[in-house]
Amino acid sequence: MDRVSSFDEPLKKLLGGATAKVMAEHLDLHTVGDLLHHYPRRYEERGKLTALADLPLDEHVTVVAQVADARILMFNNGRGKRLEVTLTDGSGRLQLVFFGHGVHKPHKELLPGRQAMFAGKVSVFNRKMQLAHPTYQLLDASDADEATEAVDAFAGRLLPIYPACKQLDSWRIAKAVDAVLPSAQDAVDPLPASLREGRGFTPLPEALLKVHRPQTKADIEDAKARLKWDEAFVLQVALARRRYADTQLPAVARRPVEGGLLDAFDAKLPFTLTEGQEKVSKEIFDDLATEHPMHRLLQGEVGSGKTMVALRAMLTAVDAGGQAAMLAPTEVLAQQHHRSITEMMGELAEGGLLGGSEQGTKVVLLTGSMGAAARRQALLDLVTGEAGIVIGTHALIEDKVQFHDLGLVVVDEQHRFGVEQRDALRSKGKQPPHLLVMTATPIPRTVAMTVFGDLETSVLDQLPAGRSPIASHVVPAKDKPHFLARAWERVREEVENGHQAYVVCPRIGDEAEEDAKGAKKAKAKKAAPDEDPEKRPPLAVLEVADELRKGALAGLSVEVLHGRMHPDEKDDVMRRFAAGDVDVLVATTVIEVGVNVPNATAMMIMDADRFGVSQLHQLRGRVGRGSAPGLCLLVSEAHEASPARARLSAVAATLDGFELSRIDLEQRREGDVLGQAQSGVRSSLRMLTVIDDEEVIAAAREEAVAIVAADPELEHLPELRTVLAALLDKEREEYLDKG
C-alpha cells in the first residue's frame, strides 16, 4: 500500500460497517486520515479520579470514579425496578440510574469498590446530579489475582478523552483509533525537512502517536506544538499561493489624473480627511497604479469613513477611463450607498445631465426590484460607459449586466458574499479588475491572517473629526422594570431636543408564516446554553411599534422598517427618517450597516441578548454620527449572572471594535467565527485555535511566504503539494475566503 492511500482508506474496511456509519454520520469522519486527525479533547490521569464536583449540567461527560454503593429499588407496586449506583472520587458524589431490563448486568458488575469509566449526559433529579443509563467500562480486573497487575498497568497512564457523541463513546473511539494507529507511519509530512529540523519539531508519525497515546504530559505538548504548526503552515501556504497567483494576473493600471474627477471631488469636501484615511487611500492608490489586480481588505471601525475611502478609489478608476462597481449585501444598503454617494458628489454625479459638472460621471443604482424601464436605462448606461459608477446588490452579477470597462470592484460587507459571487463580478472586466473588500466588523489580526490571508489588509482605526462619543448602558428590564420606563423617557427627551431615535427588535412579527418558520427553527435549533428554552419569543417590530404609539411614545411620529416591506416603501421610510420627518424608527437589523442619519442620537436595542457582540457594535454605530453625543441602551431580560449579560456588559464597556471582536471570538466556538471561510475543509483546523495561537500563525505565514516566493509550484516539495491537494481538491479550491 503506498504512503498516501492508507490515509485515504475508508473506515468501514477497518472498523466494520456499523461503527464506520456512526462515525461518518455523527462525527464527519470517513477515512483513516480523518480519524487520526480526530484528536483527544483532553486526557484523564488514570491514577487519580476525575473531579465529580465540577461536572457541567446537560453535557455529555466521561468520568473515572469508584462505586460507593449500589442498590435495587422497586416501584409501581413492585412491577418496576431501578438500580441506583453512587459514585465517589473524593471531590463529590454522582448518582447513576438504570431502569427495567437494563439493571441486571450493571447490578452484577458495579460492586462497591470497583473502578470504572462512565459516559452519559449529566442531569439533575431530586436536586442530585445523575447520569441516566450511562455506558461504562470496568477498569479493574474481576479476577483477584490479576487485580494488582491490572491496577499497576492502569495507574499513571494518560487516558485520552475524545470528542464523542451519544451514539459513540470516547473509549469506543479510542478502540477505533487503536485499530488505525499503525497507519500513522504512512503520514505524509508537509513540513520541508529544513523547516522541521530548524524548529526542532517531532516527525509527524511520532506526533500522531504521541497525541493519541501519550506516555507523559510532555508527549502531549510535543505533539500539539507540531500538529498546530502543520495546520497553520498548510493553510498559510494555500493562502500565499493564492496571493502569488493573483500577483501574476494582468490588470490595467488605474492612476489618478491631475485635474480630474478626484481632484474636483476633493476640492469640494467640507472637511479634511483623517490621517488614517490619507494613509489607507495612499495604499489603495499605489495598488491601483500597478499592472496586477489589487486585492485589499479595508477594515475599520463603525463610522471610520470607509465609504469615503472607497469612493475616492472609485473616482480614481473613473479618472483612468474605467468603471467602478460597488456590491452591497441588501437593497436597503445599496440604496443608502447610492444616496450618500450622490449626495457627497453633488453635481459631479450628474455627468451628461443638465446642470451636471463637465468632469462628472453618471452614478447608477441596479437592484433586483427596479422597474423594467429604469433597469433597461441602467444597463444601457453601463454597457456604453456613460455610467462610471454603479452601486447594486447581487443583481449586478447576472449575465445580462455588461460593463464598458470594469476597472474596480468594491465589495461591502465581505462576509455576506461567497467567493463565487465575487469572482462572477470580477469576470465581467476585460482583464481582472482591481478588488477592494470592505468590512465594518473589525477582525482580530489572527483571524484576518487565517481567513483573509490572500488579501492585503488596511485598517482605519480613528474616527473622523466631529463624530461624537456614544454612551452605552445595559437596561435590566426584568430585574428593574423602572429602568425600562426611564429608558423610554430618555428616548422622548432626545426627540424633544430635536433629535431622533432607533428602536431595534430581533423579529418582524405579525405573520402566520413567520410564526411557523420560527416554530420550525426553534424545534431544529436547541436553545443556546445560556438561554432558557421556555423563554418568550423575541420582541417584534410591528408589535413594539404599536405599543409605543399607544403608550410610552404616544404623540411622536413612530414608523417601522423591516425586510418584508416593498423596496420603494423602505426607501420612502428611510428618506423621511433622514429628512427628520420621523421621530422614532422601529426596525430590524436592516439598519445594521451603512445607514447614516447624523440627527439620530438614541438607540434602544430590545432583547439585546439575542444579538451577537459584533452585531450590537454595528447597530450602535448608527448613532453619534453627528455633533450631538449618542446614547445606546441594551435592553435585556437575561439574568445578571448569565453569559448573555456578561456579553452585553462587555459591549457597554468599550467602543473599541477590535477589542470586542476579540471578546466575541473568545466566547464563540472557532467554527462560528471562521464560519464558511473554512467551508468544505474538514481537515483544516482541529488543533489550532485562532485566538490563542497568534505567534504560530504569524511564524507559519512568514515561512509560507518565503517558501512560495522561492518555489511557487512547490516543485521541490512533493509532500507539501500532496497535503495541499488533499486539503484543496477541486470542489474545495475556493474555500479560503468563502463567507
Side-chain angles (χ1 to χ4, degrees):
M1 186 183 293
D2 71 39
R3 298 176 63 195
V4 190
S5 61
S6 70
F7 260 50
D8 293 337
E9 191 82 48
L11 285 171
K12 58 173 177 276
K13 275 196 178 174
L14 284 98
L15 304 179
T19 306
K21 188 169 186 247
V22 172
M23 285 193 167
E25 286 175 8
H26 297 281
L27 297 170
D28 198 19
L29 305 174
H30 306 271
T31 64
V32 168
D34 291 343
L35 182 52
L36 285 173
H37 287 299
H38 186 71
Y39 306 128
R41 176 178 287 151
R42 59 192 170 84
Y43 302 85
E44 289 293 359
E45 285 186 66
R46 279 180 162 170
K48 69 174 195 220
L49 303 176
T50 320
L52 294 180
D54 304 331
L55 289 182
L57 200 56
D58 277 340
E59 279 198 27
H60 202 76
V61 299
T62 302
V63 298
V64 177
Q66 196 162 21
V67 177
D69 68 63
R71 57 190 184 282
I72 286 196
L73 303 171
M74 299 297 191
F75 58 94
N76 259 359
N77 292 330
R79 285 196 301 276
K81 59 166 86 170
R82 76 171 179 269
L83 170 65
E84 285 186 1
V85 179
T86 306
L87 301 182
T88 179
D89 72 343
S91 76
R93 295 169 90 77
L94 175 68
Q95 190 142 320
L96 312 180
V97 60
F98 300 87
F99 294 100
H101 299 304
V103 306
H104 303 304
K105 188 168 181 257
H107 187 222
K108 275 193 223 150
E109 294 181 335
L110 298 178
L111 304 171
R114 295 301 298 270
Q115 198 179 37
M117 183 155 59
F118 302 89
K121 195 171 181 186
V122 185
S123 56
V124 168
F125 182 71
N126 278 346
R127 297 190 179 169
K128 283 186 188 162
M129 295 272 232
Q130 74 164 26
L131 298 183
H133 272 289
T135 46
Y136 63 90
Q137 184 183 14
L138 296 172
L139 293 175
D140 46 358
S142 49
D143 186 312
D145 295 337
E146 289 173 20
T148 325
E149 199 180 311
V151 169
D152 285 347
F154 162 80
R157 288 275 301 283
L158 289 159
L159 200 70
I161 304 295
Y162 287 91
C165 61
K166 194 175 157 193
Q167 296 78 1
L168 203 64
D169 302 313
S170 169
W171 56 85
R172 293 212 177 105
I173 295 170
K175 277 185 178 162
V177 170
D178 283 337
V180 301
L181 213 46
S183 296
Q185 294 308 323
D186 301 330
V188 176
D189 196 328
L191 295 192
S194 57
L195 192 160
R196 189 173 64 238
E197 286 151 21
R199 290 185 176 266
F201 285 131
T202 306
L204 183 55
E206 195 183 315
L208 289 169
L209 286 173
K210 281 181 171 177
V211 80
H212 289 292
R213 298 294 172 263
Q215 299 300 310
T216 62
K217 286 183 177 169
D219 281 355
I220 299 170
E221 291 317 305
D222 242 19
K224 280 186 171 177
R226 167 67 216 252
L227 295 167
K228 278 181 179 184
W229 240 90
D230 279 18
E231 288 178 4
F233 177 71
V234 172
L235 187 56
Q236 291 302 334
V237 168
L239 289 162
R241 287 188 76 195
R242 187 176 167 121
R243 222 164 34 241
Y244 179 84
D246 285 338
T247 63
Q248 302 308 299
L249 292 171
V252 179
R254 310 281 177 176
R255 296 183 181 87
V257 172
E258 213 169 307
L261 192 53
L262 178 64
D263 285 354
F265 175 75
D266 283 350
K268 63 194 281 302
L269 276 182
F271 52 81
T272 54
L273 297 174
T274 65
E275 261 176 64
Q277 284 175 317
E278 292 278 14
K279 176 177 145 289
V280 169
S281 289
K282 183 181 182 321
E283 289 170 353
I284 292 170
F285 291 156
D286 288 349
D287 281 359
L288 288 174
T290 64
E291 292 181 353
H292 302 294
M294 165 172 80
H295 286 90
R296 191 165 280 280
L297 173 70
L298 171 57
Q299 56 164 328
E301 275 297 0
V302 177
S304 56
K306 289 184 299 294
T307 311
M308 170 62 70
V309 169
L311 175 56
R312 294 181 75 241
M314 289 160 81
L315 296 176
T316 302
V318 176
D319 270 346
Q323 289 167 294
M326 181 183 253
L327 194 55
T330 64
E331 294 214 346
V332 167
L333 192 49
Q335 286 160 340
Q336 179 71 33
H337 275 317
H338 182 252
R339 188 161 42 251
S340 62
I341 282 173
T342 48
E343 277 167 14
M344 282 195 271
M345 287 175 66
E347 74 281 3
L348 295 174
E350 295 164 359
L353 301 179
L354 201 61
S357 159
E358 277 180 33
Q359 290 158 306
T361 187
K362 220 175 188 183
V363 178
V364 300
L365 177 69
L366 189 66
T367 62
S369 65
M370 281 169 76
R375 190 179 167 78
R376 250 197 321 274
Q377 185 56 54
L379 290 171
L380 188 65
D381 289 341
L382 285 179
V383 78
T384 59
E386 188 83 12
I389 294 177
V390 58
I391 294 146
T393 54
H394 57 269
L396 277 178
I397 298 167
E398 290 169 13
D399 292 344
K400 284 189 205 117
V401 181
Q402 297 298 324
F403 289 84
H404 177 65
D405 178 13
L406 182 58
L408 170 67
V409 174
V410 177
V411 179
D412 194 16
E413 286 310 295
Q414 151 68 12
H415 59 281
R416 308 204 189 176
F417 283 103
V419 78
E420 292 93 344
Q421 291 171 301
R422 239 174 53 182
D423 285 350
L425 189 56
R426 278 171 52 187
S427 68
K428 290 182 177 294
K430 290 173 183 159
Q431 283 194 327
H434 298 280
L435 175 71
L436 180 65
V437 170
M438 297 200 295
T439 174
T441 309
I443 305 165
R445 176 169 171 260
T446 43
V447 179
M449 284 193 301
T450 306
V451 179
F452 299 104
D454 64 328
L455 301 173
E456 299 298 330
T457 304
S458 293
V459 177
L460 273 176
D461 49 12
Q462 61 185 138
L463 296 185
R467 290 298 299 260
S468 302
I470 305 168
S472 307
H473 304 283
V474 179
V475 178
K478 207 171 194 170
D479 310 345
K480 300 180 178 167
H482 58 287
F483 275 37
L484 183 58
R486 174 70 190 116
W488 291 121
E489 279 172 27
R490 280 293 288 112
V491 170
R492 192 177 270 283
E493 285 163 16
E494 288 297 314
V495 173
E496 281 163 3
N497 289 334
H499 297 300
Q500 293 157 280
Y502 296 100
V503 176
V504 181
C505 303
R507 206 164 59 97
I508 299 171
D510 187 33
E511 193 156 285
E513 174 200 339
E514 180 174 311
D515 295 341
K517 249 199 257 171
K520 210 168 176 183
K521 258 191 189 161
K523 217 170 175 185
K525 177 188 168 216
K526 281 170 60 186
D530 54 305
E531 269 186 30
D532 175 358
E534 299 305 309
K535 212 169 177 183
R536 59 163 175 72
L539 291 170
V541 167
L542 301 173
E543 288 134 39
V544 168
D546 237 18
E547 283 169 31
L548 292 178
R549 289 185 189 113
K550 292 176 194 151
L553 302 182
L556 301 185
S557 152
V558 176
E559 292 272 7
V560 301
L561 182 72
H562 58 76
R564 272 204 317 257
M565 290 162 66
H566 187 277
D568 292 348
E569 215 182 333
K570 282 191 240 180
D571 209 34
D572 176 56
V573 171
M574 271 317 299
R575 271 179 202 283
R576 288 188 294 116
F577 187 62
D581 302 337
V582 173
D583 298 324
V584 178
L585 187 63
V586 184
T588 55
T589 54
V590 291
I591 59 145
E592 184 183 342
V593 282
V595 173
N596 185 25
V597 180
N599 192 44
T601 53
M603 174 176 285
M604 272 180 76
I605 303 179
M606 312 306 292
D607 282 342
D609 46 289
R610 310 265 183 159
F611 299 97
V613 170
S614 56
Q615 203 171 25
L616 291 168
H617 182 58
Q618 285 289 344
L619 287 164
R620 169 172 63 186
R622 302 303 107 208
V623 295
R625 299 178 81 85
S627 50
L631 172 69
C632 178
L633 301 170
L634 306 166
V635 181
S636 168
E637 290 186 1
H639 189 276
E640 195 168 356
S642 68
R645 269 288 282 283
R647 221 168 38 229
L648 297 183
S649 302
V651 174
T654 178
L655 290 171
D656 179 343
F658 285 91
E659 174 59 24
L660 285 174
S661 68
R662 207 173 169 89
I663 290 168
D664 195 19
L665 189 51
E666 279 161 5
Q667 290 190 343
R668 288 155 62 193
R669 289 195 339 275
E670 204 86 50
D672 298 337
V673 182
L674 299 181
Q676 282 175 301
Q678 301 281 2
S679 93
V681 180
R682 276 200 324 277
S683 55
S684 194
L685 301 192
R686 297 287 178 90
M687 187 67 84
L688 193 73
T689 53
V690 168
I691 201 72
D692 299 325
D693 296 317
E694 184 159 346
E695 284 167 21
V696 175
I697 293 168
R701 182 182 174 121
E702 223 170 277
E703 294 276 11
V705 169
I707 280 167
V708 171
D711 182 3
E713 294 304 313
L714 307 179
E715 283 170 21
H716 304 295
L717 299 168
E719 290 84 3
L720 178 53
R721 229 179 30 242
T722 302
V723 173
L724 267 180
L727 181 71
L728 303 178
D729 58 33
K730 269 299 165 234
E731 290 76 25
R732 302 173 181 179
E733 185 78 72
E734 297 289 2
Y735 82 100
L736 291 168
D737 52 2
K738 258 195 177 68

